Amino acid sequence: MAPTAAEQHTRKAVALAARDASGHLSPLAITRRSTGDDDVVIKILYCGICHSDLHSIKNEWKNARYPMIPGHEIAGEVTEVGKNVTKFEAGDRVGVGVMVNSCQSCESCNEGFENHCPGIIPTYNTVDLDGTITYGGYSGMVVVHERFVVRFPDTIPLDKGAPLLCAGITVYSPMKYHGLNVPGMHLGVLGLGGLGHVAVKFGKAFGMKVTVISSSPGKKQEALERLGADAFVISKDADEMKAAMSTMDGIINTVSANIPMAPLLGLLKPNGKMIMVGLPEKSMEIPPFALVAMNKTLAGSCIGGMRDTQEMLDLAAKHDVTADIEVIGAEYVNTAMERLAKADVRYRFVIDIGNTLDKAAAASE
Ligand code: NAP
Ligand code: ZN
Ligand code: ZN
Protein backbone atom coordinates (compact mmCIF):
# COMPACT_ATOMS: atom_id res chain seq x y z
CA MET A 1 0.00 0.00 0.00
CA ALA A 2 1.29 3.49 -0.84
CA PRO A 3 2.32 5.52 2.20
CA THR A 4 -0.17 8.15 3.36
CA ALA A 5 0.65 11.85 3.25
CA ALA A 6 1.24 11.78 7.00
CA GLU A 7 3.65 8.86 6.67
CA GLN A 8 5.59 10.74 4.02
CA HIS A 9 5.92 13.78 6.26
CA THR A 10 8.83 12.49 8.24
CA ARG A 11 11.31 15.33 8.04
CA LYS A 12 11.40 17.43 11.16
CA ALA A 13 11.86 21.19 11.07
CA VAL A 14 11.52 24.12 13.43
CA ALA A 15 9.16 26.93 12.46
CA LEU A 16 7.48 30.10 13.71
CA ALA A 17 3.71 29.70 13.79
CA ALA A 18 0.68 31.88 14.45
CA ARG A 19 -2.00 29.97 16.36
CA ASP A 20 -4.88 32.45 16.09
CA ALA A 21 -5.88 35.85 14.73
CA SER A 22 -3.79 37.67 17.33
CA GLY A 23 -1.02 36.81 14.84
CA HIS A 24 1.46 36.17 17.64
CA LEU A 25 4.26 33.97 16.30
CA SER A 26 6.00 31.33 18.41
CA PRO A 27 8.14 28.27 17.72
CA LEU A 28 6.49 25.06 16.55
CA ALA A 29 7.99 21.71 15.53
CA ILE A 30 6.70 20.68 12.10
CA THR A 31 7.30 17.94 9.55
CA ARG A 32 7.93 18.21 5.83
CA ARG A 33 7.42 15.54 3.17
CA SER A 34 10.22 13.19 2.16
CA THR A 35 11.94 14.02 -1.12
CA GLY A 36 9.75 13.27 -4.15
CA ASP A 37 11.27 12.55 -7.56
CA ASP A 38 10.78 16.18 -8.71
CA ASP A 39 11.54 17.81 -5.38
CA VAL A 40 14.28 20.12 -4.23
CA VAL A 41 15.07 20.16 -0.51
CA ILE A 42 16.18 23.58 0.68
CA LYS A 43 17.86 24.63 3.90
CA ILE A 44 16.31 28.04 4.50
CA LEU A 45 18.83 30.74 5.41
CA TYR A 46 16.74 33.92 5.07
CA CYS A 47 13.07 34.77 4.74
CA GLY A 48 11.64 38.21 4.05
CA ILE A 49 8.58 39.50 5.91
CA CYS A 50 5.96 40.54 3.36
CA HIS A 51 2.94 42.58 4.42
CA SER A 52 0.87 39.66 3.09
CA ASP A 53 2.30 37.62 5.98
CA LEU A 54 0.90 40.21 8.38
CA HIS A 55 -2.52 40.34 6.67
CA SER A 56 -2.57 36.51 6.77
CA ILE A 57 -1.57 35.83 10.37
CA LYS A 58 -4.18 38.35 11.55
CA ASN A 59 -6.79 36.70 9.31
CA GLU A 60 -7.56 40.02 7.57
CA TRP A 61 -8.40 38.12 4.36
CA LYS A 62 -10.69 35.74 6.27
CA ASN A 63 -9.01 32.58 4.99
CA ALA A 64 -6.57 31.71 7.77
CA ARG A 65 -5.79 28.12 8.74
CA TYR A 66 -3.98 27.83 12.05
CA PRO A 67 -1.37 26.97 12.98
CA MET A 68 -0.06 29.15 10.16
CA ILE A 69 3.60 29.38 9.21
CA PRO A 70 4.00 32.40 6.96
CA GLY A 71 6.88 33.37 4.69
CA HIS A 72 7.12 33.43 0.90
CA GLU A 73 10.38 35.26 0.31
CA ILE A 74 12.60 32.25 0.87
CA ALA A 75 16.34 32.12 0.17
CA GLY A 76 18.58 29.21 0.97
CA GLU A 77 20.75 26.38 -0.19
CA VAL A 78 19.83 23.09 -1.83
CA THR A 79 20.68 20.09 0.36
CA GLU A 80 19.14 17.27 -1.68
CA VAL A 81 17.29 16.70 -4.97
CA GLY A 82 14.90 14.02 -6.24
CA LYS A 83 15.94 11.70 -9.05
CA ASN A 84 14.12 13.60 -11.85
CA VAL A 85 15.51 17.00 -10.90
CA THR A 86 17.71 18.42 -13.64
CA LYS A 87 17.99 22.13 -12.87
CA PHE A 88 19.47 22.02 -9.37
CA GLU A 89 22.00 20.19 -7.26
CA ALA A 90 23.15 20.24 -3.65
CA GLY A 91 24.89 23.50 -2.76
CA ASP A 92 22.98 25.69 -5.24
CA ARG A 93 21.76 29.10 -3.98
CA VAL A 94 18.03 29.17 -4.62
CA GLY A 95 14.79 30.92 -3.83
CA VAL A 96 11.10 30.12 -3.47
CA GLY A 97 8.37 32.73 -3.73
CA VAL A 98 4.62 32.84 -3.29
CA MET A 99 3.73 29.46 -4.87
CA VAL A 100 5.03 25.94 -4.43
CA ASN A 101 2.89 24.12 -6.98
CA SER A 102 0.13 24.41 -9.59
CA CYS A 103 -1.72 22.01 -11.91
CA GLN A 104 1.19 22.32 -14.39
CA SER A 105 -1.08 21.47 -17.33
CA CYS A 106 -3.65 24.25 -17.86
CA GLU A 107 -3.34 27.03 -20.43
CA SER A 108 -1.93 29.46 -17.87
CA CYS A 109 0.67 26.97 -16.63
CA ASN A 110 1.64 26.07 -20.20
CA GLU A 111 2.17 29.75 -20.98
CA GLY A 112 4.36 30.28 -17.92
CA PHE A 113 1.74 32.01 -15.81
CA GLU A 114 1.46 29.51 -12.97
CA ASN A 115 0.32 32.50 -10.88
CA HIS A 116 -2.99 32.42 -12.81
CA CYS A 117 -3.54 28.67 -12.48
CA PRO A 118 -6.86 27.75 -10.87
CA GLY A 119 -4.92 25.00 -9.09
CA ILE A 120 -2.18 27.27 -7.71
CA ILE A 121 -0.76 26.11 -4.36
CA PRO A 122 0.48 29.11 -2.41
CA THR A 123 3.55 28.61 -0.22
CA TYR A 124 1.55 28.68 3.01
CA ASN A 125 -2.00 28.45 4.33
CA THR A 126 -3.29 26.16 1.54
CA VAL A 127 -4.23 22.52 1.19
CA ASP A 128 -1.38 20.90 -0.76
CA LEU A 129 -1.81 18.18 -3.39
CA ASP A 130 -1.23 15.50 -0.74
CA GLY A 131 -3.89 16.94 1.56
CA THR A 132 -1.51 18.55 4.05
CA ILE A 133 -1.44 22.30 4.71
CA THR A 134 1.44 24.23 3.19
CA TYR A 135 3.89 25.83 5.60
CA GLY A 136 5.99 28.84 4.58
CA GLY A 137 9.51 30.08 5.01
CA TYR A 138 9.62 31.05 8.69
CA SER A 139 11.08 27.59 9.13
CA GLY A 140 14.36 25.73 8.86
CA MET A 141 13.77 23.84 5.63
CA VAL A 142 11.27 23.29 2.84
CA VAL A 143 10.63 20.70 0.11
CA VAL A 144 9.45 22.17 -3.21
CA HIS A 145 8.82 20.90 -6.75
CA GLU A 146 11.73 22.08 -8.91
CA ARG A 147 9.48 24.09 -11.24
CA PHE A 148 8.80 26.49 -8.36
CA VAL A 149 12.43 27.00 -7.40
CA VAL A 150 14.56 29.77 -8.91
CA ARG A 151 18.29 30.28 -8.96
CA PHE A 152 19.99 33.31 -7.42
CA PRO A 153 22.56 34.90 -9.70
CA ASP A 154 26.01 34.81 -8.02
CA THR A 155 26.11 38.57 -7.43
CA ILE A 156 22.86 38.72 -5.45
CA PRO A 157 23.36 38.12 -1.71
CA LEU A 158 20.71 35.82 -0.25
CA ASP A 159 19.57 38.24 2.46
CA LYS A 160 19.08 41.26 0.17
CA GLY A 161 17.80 38.96 -2.58
CA ALA A 162 15.11 37.13 -0.61
CA PRO A 163 12.55 39.98 -0.89
CA LEU A 164 12.79 39.86 -4.67
CA LEU A 165 10.90 36.53 -4.58
CA CYS A 166 7.65 38.32 -3.73
CA ALA A 167 8.19 42.09 -3.63
CA GLY A 168 10.44 42.01 -6.71
CA ILE A 169 8.28 39.91 -9.02
CA THR A 170 5.07 41.60 -7.84
CA VAL A 171 6.23 44.99 -9.10
CA TYR A 172 8.30 43.75 -12.05
CA SER A 173 5.47 41.79 -13.66
CA PRO A 174 2.95 44.67 -14.00
CA MET A 175 5.71 47.00 -15.18
CA LYS A 176 6.49 44.49 -17.96
CA TYR A 177 2.92 43.62 -18.97
CA HIS A 178 1.40 47.09 -18.67
CA GLY A 179 4.19 48.79 -20.60
CA LEU A 180 5.45 50.69 -17.56
CA ASN A 181 9.09 49.93 -18.28
CA VAL A 182 9.81 52.42 -21.04
CA PRO A 183 12.72 54.88 -20.71
CA GLY A 184 11.55 58.45 -20.18
CA MET A 185 8.06 57.48 -19.01
CA HIS A 186 6.88 58.90 -15.71
CA LEU A 187 6.13 56.21 -13.09
CA GLY A 188 4.42 56.89 -9.78
CA VAL A 189 5.13 54.51 -6.92
CA LEU A 190 2.40 54.74 -4.31
CA GLY A 191 3.55 53.55 -0.87
CA LEU A 192 7.24 53.26 -0.09
CA GLY A 193 7.43 49.93 1.70
CA GLY A 194 8.81 46.55 0.69
CA LEU A 195 7.16 46.45 -2.74
CA GLY A 196 7.38 50.18 -3.34
CA HIS A 197 11.10 50.60 -2.81
CA VAL A 198 11.87 47.76 -5.22
CA ALA A 199 9.50 49.36 -7.77
CA VAL A 200 11.53 52.59 -7.50
CA LYS A 201 14.73 50.66 -8.20
CA PHE A 202 13.29 48.80 -11.21
CA GLY A 203 11.81 52.04 -12.54
CA LYS A 204 15.22 53.69 -12.42
CA ALA A 205 16.83 50.58 -13.94
CA PHE A 206 14.39 50.95 -16.87
CA GLY A 207 15.41 54.60 -17.31
CA MET A 208 12.10 56.05 -16.14
CA LYS A 209 11.30 59.19 -14.23
CA VAL A 210 10.10 57.93 -10.84
CA THR A 211 7.98 59.82 -8.33
CA VAL A 212 7.22 58.35 -4.92
CA ILE A 213 3.79 59.16 -3.51
CA SER A 214 3.96 58.57 0.23
CA SER A 215 2.17 59.22 3.50
CA SER A 216 5.53 59.37 5.33
CA PRO A 217 7.39 62.68 4.97
CA GLY A 218 10.29 61.09 6.89
CA LYS A 219 11.08 58.85 3.91
CA LYS A 220 11.66 61.73 1.49
CA GLN A 221 15.40 62.22 1.84
CA GLU A 222 16.19 58.52 1.56
CA ALA A 223 13.86 58.08 -1.39
CA LEU A 224 15.64 60.79 -3.31
CA GLU A 225 19.20 60.25 -2.17
CA ARG A 226 19.49 56.53 -1.52
CA LEU A 227 16.83 54.93 -3.69
CA GLY A 228 17.32 57.33 -6.61
CA ALA A 229 13.72 58.57 -6.97
CA ASP A 230 13.39 61.80 -8.98
CA ALA A 231 10.60 63.32 -6.91
CA PHE A 232 8.61 62.74 -3.74
CA VAL A 233 4.99 63.76 -3.24
CA ILE A 234 3.43 63.69 0.21
CA SER A 235 -0.06 62.34 -0.34
CA LYS A 236 -1.53 64.34 2.55
CA ASP A 237 -0.13 67.64 1.23
CA ALA A 238 -2.82 69.22 -0.96
CA ASP A 239 -0.40 71.64 -2.64
CA GLU A 240 2.08 68.93 -3.58
CA MET A 241 -0.72 66.71 -4.88
CA LYS A 242 -2.13 69.57 -6.94
CA ALA A 243 1.24 70.30 -8.50
CA ALA A 244 1.59 66.64 -9.51
CA MET A 245 -1.93 66.35 -11.09
CA SER A 246 -2.07 64.74 -14.56
CA THR A 247 1.67 64.14 -14.77
CA MET A 248 2.12 60.36 -14.49
CA ASP A 249 1.88 57.67 -17.18
CA GLY A 250 1.32 54.94 -14.62
CA ILE A 251 1.15 54.30 -10.89
CA ILE A 252 2.00 51.08 -9.09
CA ASN A 253 -0.26 51.13 -6.03
CA THR A 254 1.41 49.15 -3.24
CA VAL A 255 -0.55 50.56 -0.30
CA SER A 256 -1.67 47.94 2.21
CA ALA A 257 -4.49 50.07 3.69
CA ASN A 258 -7.76 51.58 2.44
CA ILE A 259 -7.12 55.14 1.31
CA PRO A 260 -9.16 57.54 -0.89
CA MET A 261 -8.50 56.72 -4.53
CA ALA A 262 -9.86 59.75 -6.40
CA PRO A 263 -6.96 62.13 -5.61
CA LEU A 264 -4.47 59.43 -6.59
CA LEU A 265 -6.17 58.70 -9.92
CA GLY A 266 -5.97 62.46 -10.47
CA LEU A 267 -2.18 62.15 -10.69
CA LEU A 268 -2.48 60.17 -13.93
CA LYS A 269 -2.20 61.72 -17.39
CA PRO A 270 -5.03 61.06 -19.86
CA ASN A 271 -4.99 57.30 -20.65
CA GLY A 272 -2.83 56.70 -17.57
CA LYS A 273 -2.97 53.41 -15.69
CA MET A 274 -3.06 52.59 -12.03
CA ILE A 275 -2.02 49.04 -11.24
CA MET A 276 -3.20 47.73 -7.87
CA VAL A 277 -0.89 45.29 -6.18
CA GLY A 278 -1.74 46.25 -2.59
CA LEU A 279 -4.39 44.10 -0.93
CA PRO A 280 -6.10 46.10 1.82
CA GLU A 281 -8.58 44.32 4.03
CA LYS A 282 -11.70 46.17 2.89
CA SER A 283 -13.29 47.01 -0.49
CA MET A 284 -12.29 50.21 -2.24
CA GLU A 285 -14.59 52.98 -3.33
CA ILE A 286 -13.92 54.33 -6.82
CA PRO A 287 -15.82 57.47 -7.86
CA PRO A 288 -16.71 56.73 -11.52
CA PHE A 289 -15.70 60.20 -12.72
CA ALA A 290 -12.18 59.70 -11.35
CA LEU A 291 -11.76 56.82 -13.80
CA VAL A 292 -13.98 57.72 -16.73
CA ALA A 293 -12.79 61.29 -17.21
CA MET A 294 -9.55 61.22 -19.24
CA ASN A 295 -9.92 57.48 -20.04
CA LYS A 296 -8.02 56.06 -17.11
CA THR A 297 -7.37 52.38 -16.44
CA LEU A 298 -7.46 50.66 -13.08
CA ALA A 299 -5.95 47.16 -13.17
CA GLY A 300 -4.75 44.51 -10.77
CA SER A 301 -1.71 42.27 -10.79
CA CYS A 302 -0.83 39.18 -8.80
CA ILE A 303 2.85 38.19 -8.33
CA GLY A 304 4.20 36.66 -11.59
CA GLY A 305 4.98 33.38 -13.31
CA MET A 306 8.08 31.29 -12.71
CA ARG A 307 9.76 32.22 -16.01
CA ASP A 308 9.26 35.90 -15.25
CA THR A 309 10.53 35.41 -11.70
CA GLN A 310 13.83 34.00 -12.97
CA GLU A 311 13.99 36.75 -15.63
CA MET A 312 13.42 39.37 -12.91
CA LEU A 313 16.23 37.95 -10.75
CA ASP A 314 18.65 37.91 -13.69
CA LEU A 315 17.71 41.48 -14.58
CA ALA A 316 18.04 42.53 -10.95
CA ALA A 317 21.59 41.15 -10.96
CA LYS A 318 22.39 43.03 -14.16
CA HIS A 319 21.14 46.35 -12.76
CA ASP A 320 22.27 45.78 -9.20
CA VAL A 321 18.72 45.82 -7.84
CA THR A 322 18.32 44.27 -4.39
CA ALA A 323 16.17 45.13 -1.38
CA ASP A 324 17.21 47.53 1.38
CA ILE A 325 16.78 45.34 4.40
CA GLU A 326 16.83 45.19 8.16
CA VAL A 327 18.06 41.72 9.13
CA ILE A 328 16.45 40.46 12.32
CA GLY A 329 16.73 37.41 14.55
CA ALA A 330 13.79 35.00 14.84
CA GLU A 331 13.17 36.19 18.42
CA TYR A 332 12.39 39.70 17.10
CA VAL A 333 9.65 38.63 14.67
CA ASN A 334 6.64 39.83 16.71
CA THR A 335 8.20 43.26 17.23
CA ALA A 336 8.97 43.39 13.51
CA MET A 337 5.28 42.70 12.74
CA GLU A 338 4.21 45.56 15.02
CA ARG A 339 6.64 47.89 13.27
CA LEU A 340 5.54 46.70 9.81
CA ALA A 341 1.92 47.52 10.72
CA LYS A 342 3.08 51.11 11.31
CA ALA A 343 5.10 51.31 8.06
CA ASP A 344 8.20 51.54 10.25
CA VAL A 345 10.72 49.54 8.24
CA ARG A 346 13.41 50.63 5.79
CA TYR A 347 12.32 48.79 3.69
CA ARG A 348 12.05 45.05 4.32
CA PHE A 349 12.56 42.92 7.40
CA VAL A 350 14.45 39.73 6.61
CA ILE A 351 14.68 36.97 9.22
CA ASP A 352 18.12 35.41 9.61
CA ILE A 353 16.66 31.92 9.79
CA GLY A 354 19.99 30.11 9.43
CA ASN A 355 21.66 31.71 12.44
CA THR A 356 18.79 32.41 14.81
CA LEU A 357 15.75 30.15 14.42
CA ASP A 358 17.06 27.10 16.30
CA LYS A 359 18.32 29.32 19.12
CA ALA A 360 14.97 31.12 19.42
CA ALA A 361 13.14 27.78 19.49
CA ALA A 362 15.49 26.35 22.16
CA ALA A 363 15.09 29.47 24.32
CA SER A 364 11.31 29.15 24.27
CA GLU A 365 11.28 25.52 25.48
P1 NAP B 1 4.68 47.43 3.35
O1 NAP B 1 6.13 47.18 3.34
O2 NAP B 1 3.97 47.54 4.65
O3 NAP B 1 4.42 48.74 2.47
C1 NAP B 1 3.15 49.29 2.33
C2 NAP B 1 3.29 50.81 2.29
O4 NAP B 1 1.98 51.35 2.13
C3 NAP B 1 3.80 51.42 3.58
O5 NAP B 1 5.19 51.42 3.69
C4 NAP B 1 3.26 52.83 3.48
O6 NAP B 1 4.08 53.60 2.60
C5 NAP B 1 1.92 52.63 2.76
N1 NAP B 1 0.84 52.63 3.74
C6 NAP B 1 0.59 51.72 4.71
N2 NAP B 1 -0.47 52.08 5.44
C7 NAP B 1 -0.91 53.25 4.94
C8 NAP B 1 -1.99 54.12 5.25
N3 NAP B 1 -2.83 53.86 6.26
N4 NAP B 1 -2.15 55.23 4.50
C9 NAP B 1 -1.30 55.49 3.49
N5 NAP B 1 -0.26 54.72 3.14
C10 NAP B 1 -0.09 53.61 3.86
O7 NAP B 1 3.90 46.30 2.53
P2 NAP B 1 4.40 45.44 1.28
O8 NAP B 1 4.98 44.17 1.77
O9 NAP B 1 5.13 46.31 0.34
O10 NAP B 1 2.98 45.03 0.64
C11 NAP B 1 2.09 46.04 0.19
C12 NAP B 1 0.75 45.45 -0.15
O11 NAP B 1 0.86 44.61 -1.30
C13 NAP B 1 0.14 44.57 0.94
O12 NAP B 1 -1.26 44.80 0.99
C14 NAP B 1 0.44 43.15 0.46
O13 NAP B 1 -0.46 42.19 0.96
C15 NAP B 1 0.28 43.34 -1.03
N6 NAP B 1 0.98 42.35 -1.86
C16 NAP B 1 0.38 42.00 -3.01
C17 NAP B 1 1.00 41.12 -3.88
C18 NAP B 1 0.39 40.81 -5.20
O14 NAP B 1 0.72 39.81 -5.81
N7 NAP B 1 -0.48 41.66 -5.70
C19 NAP B 1 2.25 40.58 -3.54
C20 NAP B 1 2.84 40.98 -2.35
C21 NAP B 1 2.20 41.88 -1.51
P3 NAP B 1 4.37 55.16 2.92
O15 NAP B 1 4.96 55.18 4.28
O16 NAP B 1 5.31 55.53 1.85
O17 NAP B 1 3.05 55.83 2.81
ZN1 ZN C 1 4.37 38.70 -0.44
ZN1 ZN D 1 -2.41 25.26 -14.13
Side-chain angles (χ1 to χ4, degrees):
M1 217 169 60
T4 63
E7 284 163 354
Q8 288 179 15
H9 272 243
T10 52
R11 268 207 175 88
K12 292 187 173 28
V14 179
L16 295 171
R19 324 293 169 121
D20 56 42
S22 72
H24 183 81
L25 292 155
S26 57
L28 178 71
I30 59 162
T31 56
R32 300 281 196 186
R33 68 172 179 258
S34 47
T35 317
D37 292 348
D38 301 307
D39 282 341
V40 177
V41 183
I42 301 163
K43 178 178 165 50
I44 300 176
L45 298 173
Y46 295 98
C47 188
I49 298 184
C50 176
H51 204 113
S52 298
D53 300 347
L54 181 56
H55 291 303
S56 298
I57 58 175
K58 291 189 172 288
N59 198 20
E60 289 177 7
W61 297 332
K62 309 290 179 262
N63 64 352
R65 297 168 202 271
Y66 299 106
M68 185 192 298
I69 293 152
H72 57 209
E73 293 184 339
I74 299 171
E77 206 177 278
V78 175
T79 55
E80 193 187 319
V81 296
K83 70 174 168 43
N84 295 344
V85 171
T86 53
K87 287 193 296 185
F88 303 102
E89 58 183 27
D92 284 354
R93 299 160 74 250
V94 295
V96 176
V98 178
M99 40 185 178
V100 287
N101 217 330
S102 69
C103 87
Q104 304 196 34
S105 60
C106 70
E107 196 179 334
S108 292
C109 286
N110 289 339
E111 288 173 354
F113 297 102
E114 299 90 343
N115 52 320
H116 301 158
C117 174
I120 183 175
I121 309 280
T123 303
Y124 62 87
N125 195 43
T126 303
V127 181
D128 206 344
L129 298 178
D130 64 4
T132 61
I133 303 296
T134 55
Y135 289 151
Y138 297 10
S139 64
M141 55 90 63
V142 67
V143 184
V144 183
H145 189 290
E146 76 165 326
R147 179 171 178 155
F148 298 87
V149 179
V150 287
R151 180 182 300 281
F152 275 106
D154 291 342
T155 54
I156 296 192
L158 292 183
D159 54 357
K160 292 189 172 73
L164 297 175
L165 274 313
C166 175
I169 185 62
T170 299
V171 297
Y172 174 75
S173 174
M175 290 169 89
K176 174 174 172 177
Y177 290 105
H178 287 278
L180 297 175
N181 57 358
V182 178
M185 246 188 197
H186 187 183
L187 178 73
V189 174
L190 176 57
L192 193 63
L195 270 55
H197 90 290
V198 179
V200 171
K201 293 186 183 193
F202 274 123
K204 291 314 296 176
F206 293 140
M208 304 176 82
K209 176 181 176 186
V210 178
T211 296
V212 172
I213 310 139
S214 171
S215 64
S216 305
K219 294 178 181 172
K220 178 172 180 174
Q221 194 177 352
E222 276 179 8
L224 300 175
E225 290 173 10
R226 200 169 86 202
L227 302 176
D230 298 287
F232 191 94
V233 173
I234 297 165
S235 50
K236 293 170 194 156
D237 185 316
D239 291 338
E240 288 193 13
M241 287 290 282
K242 199 167 161 206
M245 284 271 284
S246 304
T247 60
M248 299 177 194
D249 295 287
I251 295 175
I252 306 280
N253 179 350
T254 77
V255 174
S256 52
N258 292 81
I259 56 172
M261 295 292 284
L264 299 162
L265 289 163
L267 300 177
L268 293 170
K269 286 179 187 170
N271 300 307
K273 302 173 184 177
M274 177 183 285
I275 318 297
M276 287 282 304
V277 292
L279 288 163
E281 185 179 357
K282 300 198 177 71
S283 300
M284 300 185 299
E285 204 172 292
I286 311 288
F289 276 96
L291 208 53
V292 171
M294 295 198 229
N295 294 22
K296 291 173 184 174
T297 299
L298 179 62
S301 188
C302 182
I303 48 169
M306 294 314 302
R307 195 174 50 215
D308 283 328
T309 305
Q310 187 65 58
E311 176 183 292
M312 175 276 309
L313 279 182
D314 296 342
L315 201 83
K318 191 171 152 207
H319 292 284
D320 207 13
V321 172
T322 55
D324 286 24
I325 58 171
E326 187 173 330
V327 177
I328 62 163
E331 73 294 340
Y332 188 77
V333 70
N334 290 302
T335 310
M337 287 295 181
E338 283 167 27
R339 287 182 49 198
L340 181 61
K342 294 186 283 191
D344 174 24
V345 50
R346 307 290 171 86
Y347 283 90
R348 198 55 136 190
F349 288 117
V350 173
I351 311 172
D352 181 354
I353 298 279
N355 290 311
T356 69
L357 181 60
D358 286 346
K359 233 180 286 172
S364 78
E365 274 168 9

